[in-house]
Amino acid sequence: MGLDDGNALRLLRDAVDPALGSDDLIRRFYTRWFAIDTPVRDLFPPDMDVQRTAFANAMTWLFSELIARRAQEPVAFLAQLGRDHRKYGVTQRHYDSMQDALLTTLRSHLIEKWDDQLAEAAHDAVMLIIGVMRGAADAEKGPPFRDGTVIEHLRITRDVSVVRLQLDQPLYYHPGQYVTVQVPQWPRRWRYLSPAIPADRGGAIEFHIRSVTGGMVSTAIVGETKPGDRWRLSNPHGGMQIARDRGDVLMVAGGTGLAPLRALIMDLTRYGENPRVHLFFGARYPSELYDLHTLWQIASTNPWLSVTPVSEFNTDPPWAAEYPDVEPPRGLHVRQTGMLPDVVTRYGNWGDRQILICGGPQMVEATKEALIAKGAPAERIQHDPLAN
């Protein structure tokens, strides 16, 4: 039965599910893979915890989709994964050894339940996963990444930096997409970042980065980046977008979650007519609303854009005096005080809008839940994967 055997697929899904204790299996898979294909180890960071968790979550989702007999999203996901893995230097030989290691590890872990049906389902599932990734990678002819040089690093609040680069070759992406970035301080450890400007034919690109407590890469970027540093960027991911013919738009940005929404807004300025866009831009303190001047400049010449600044606290901490004043000229909505989901839903459920939410996972989830509780249709809400 292979991929039609729901019971066998459930056994495989439960084996890799981190919520059901798959740590040992996943660890043994990587140990086996690195043992039979030693050069593969050099493609991964020294600390494998994040990688193992991401792999376990992805495999759990893939098996769940196969059980539900949904193929379109898994195939698209695997194809993108295959194309993206080119940036690591993955070759066809690596797919062969991965296939062998994964099948052998699943068999040894499930040996007491292993039979012909489970073996067939495991074989077909792994062949599908490896085959789609391998085929997509082989079909992609463009470069797997772009390199660029940091030309400016602005520390605009205690925890937020704006970094501007000049790429050796232009990177083409849709506004609202994101890329993975490797910085010299942490080789082989990639971090998701969203460009804050639309794609530039000359190769200019800008990122807004917040230093996250315990985050090694973001802390290094904010604290150590200097002009001349060489960064490596993957090809773009994500499908967040605005349909200009499908009604007005609500945007909710928390902190540096502003970046992809800012790129979308900048892209809209190319058109004479646009849907109305209302942006709520939130931060903890007023001083962390770091890009209000840019937003004011755009709104002052584009009447379709309205901006409401939101801060959790009404006053700034003492350290804010060391950074530029972010108060914009008169013209934006009066700054509101409170939690971003609460402030946004005070104005209604926004159910007739296209809704885009960007920021930290907790803010995104809380805002989405608050809007749905007010009556906004879930299918009208867009956000990037919460793990980003």
Side-chain angles (χ1 to χ4, degrees):
M1 294 178 68
L3 296 180
D4 292 325
D5 190 338
N7 291 330
L9 291 173
R10 287 185 188 90
L11 284 173
L12 295 168
R13 180 194 61 191
D14 292 349
V16 300
D17 189 346
L20 299 177
S22 66
D23 291 353
D24 181 59
L25 181 149
I26 301 300
R27 192 179 299 273
R28 285 193 289 118
F29 157 66
Y30 279 105
T31 300
R32 185 183 300 274
W33 191 16
F34 297 160
I36 64 176
D37 194 351
T38 307
V40 170
R41 185 65 185 90
D42 294 333
L43 305 180
F44 292 91
D47 178 6
M48 288 289 294
D49 288 347
V50 173
Q51 174 66 30
R52 284 193 291 263
T53 300
F55 180 75
N57 285 329
M59 290 293 289
T60 303
W61 176 78
L62 284 167
F63 279 121
S64 296
E65 293 294 291
L66 293 176
I67 291 166
R69 302 195 178 188
R70 293 190 291 261
Q72 185 173 352
E73 284 193 32
V75 168
F77 169 78
L78 290 166
Q80 180 60 55
L81 208 59
R83 289 190 290 267
D84 190 51
H85 272 57
R86 296 161 63 240
K87 74 189 180 198
Y88 299 113
V90 173
T91 66
Q92 297 296 315
R93 178 175 58 82
H94 296 140
Y95 285 115
D96 291 335
S97 59
M98 178 186 177
Q99 176 180 307
D100 180 49
L102 186 53
L103 276 172
T104 304
T105 305
L106 287 170
R107 183 180 184 278
S108 63
H109 184 80
L110 295 168
I111 191 64
E112 294 182 0
K113 301 176 182 177
W114 202 258
D115 56 20
D116 290 344
Q117 288 75 23
L118 186 54
E120 184 180 358
H123 175 270
D124 290 356
V126 171
M127 290 297 291
L128 173 67
I129 292 167
I130 301 297
V132 173
M133 291 179 64
R134 186 203 301 266
D138 190 50
E140 187 67 36
K141 302 306 179 186
F145 50 75
R146 301 290 195 283
D147 290 330
T149 302
V150 174
I151 58 174
E152 191 171 21
H153 175 206
L154 304 174
R155 187 78 174 265
I156 51 177
T157 80
R158 182 178 63 173
D159 301 323
V160 175
S161 288
V162 170
V163 178
R164 298 182 176 122
L165 297 97
Q166 177 63 44
L167 301 179
D168 299 346
Q169 296 176 298
L171 176 65
Y172 297 105
Y173 54 88
H174 297 295
Q177 288 192 297
Y178 57 91
V179 298
T180 54
V181 174
Q182 179 183 248
V183 300
Q185 292 85 358
W186 284 101
R188 304 200 307 272
R189 191 180 295 274
W190 296 75
R191 188 182 190 278
Y192 293 104
L193 293 177
S194 295
I197 60 173
D200 176 71
R201 292 182 179 179
I205 196 165
E206 175 178 317
F207 296 107
H208 300 173
I209 304 99
R210 182 180 186 86
S211 177
V212 178
T213 302
M216 294 176 286
V217 177
S218 63
T219 301
I221 291 175
V222 172
E224 303 173 24
T225 297
K226 59 185 184 301
D229 283 355
R230 296 284 288 173
W231 286 20
R232 177 161 288 178
L233 281 61
S234 75
N235 288 310
H237 304 264
M240 193 162 53
Q241 60 184 315
I242 292 172
R244 293 180 55 249
D245 59 350
R246 293 186 185 173
D248 295 337
V249 181
L250 167 68
M251 294 182 171
V252 184
T256 53
L258 175 67
L261 302 184
R262 179 188 194 257
L264 283 162
I265 289 169
M266 287 183 167
D267 186 62
L268 287 175
T269 63
R270 298 186 298 124
Y271 303 97
E273 295 184 8
N274 282 307
R276 291 180 301 163
V277 177
H278 195 125
L279 167 66
F280 288 86
F281 175 33
R284 201 168 183 208
Y285 299 108
S287 62
E288 293 180 315
L289 296 165
Y290 63 90
D291 209 33
L292 288 183
H293 279 276
T294 301
L295 296 173
W296 172 82
Q297 290 169 350
I298 298 173
S300 66
T301 55
N302 293 277
W304 46 265
L305 175 63
S306 299
V307 180
T308 298
V310 181
S311 62
E312 294 180 26
F313 297 95
N314 197 37
T315 57
D316 282 323
W319 56 257
E322 301 176 17
Y323 296 94
D325 180 14
V326 301
E327 283 296 323
R330 296 172 66 89
L332 297 183
H333 286 277
V334 175
R335 178 173 53 83
Q336 303 291 304
T337 303
M339 301 298 290
L340 197 50
D342 298 333
V343 174
V344 171
T345 52
R346 279 182 211 156
Y347 290 76
N349 70 11
W350 304 91
D352 60 339
R353 304 285 181 114
Q354 302 177 69
I355 301 173
L356 289 74
I357 311 173
C358 293
Q362 291 182 337
M363 185 283 290
V364 171
E365 192 61 48
T367 303
K368 181 179 178 180
E369 289 179 358
L371 286 164
I372 292 173
K374 280 279 189 175
E379 62 271 16
R380 295 185 69 90
I381 299 175
Q382 300 180 55
H383 59 81
D384 285 329
L386 296 180
N388 296 342

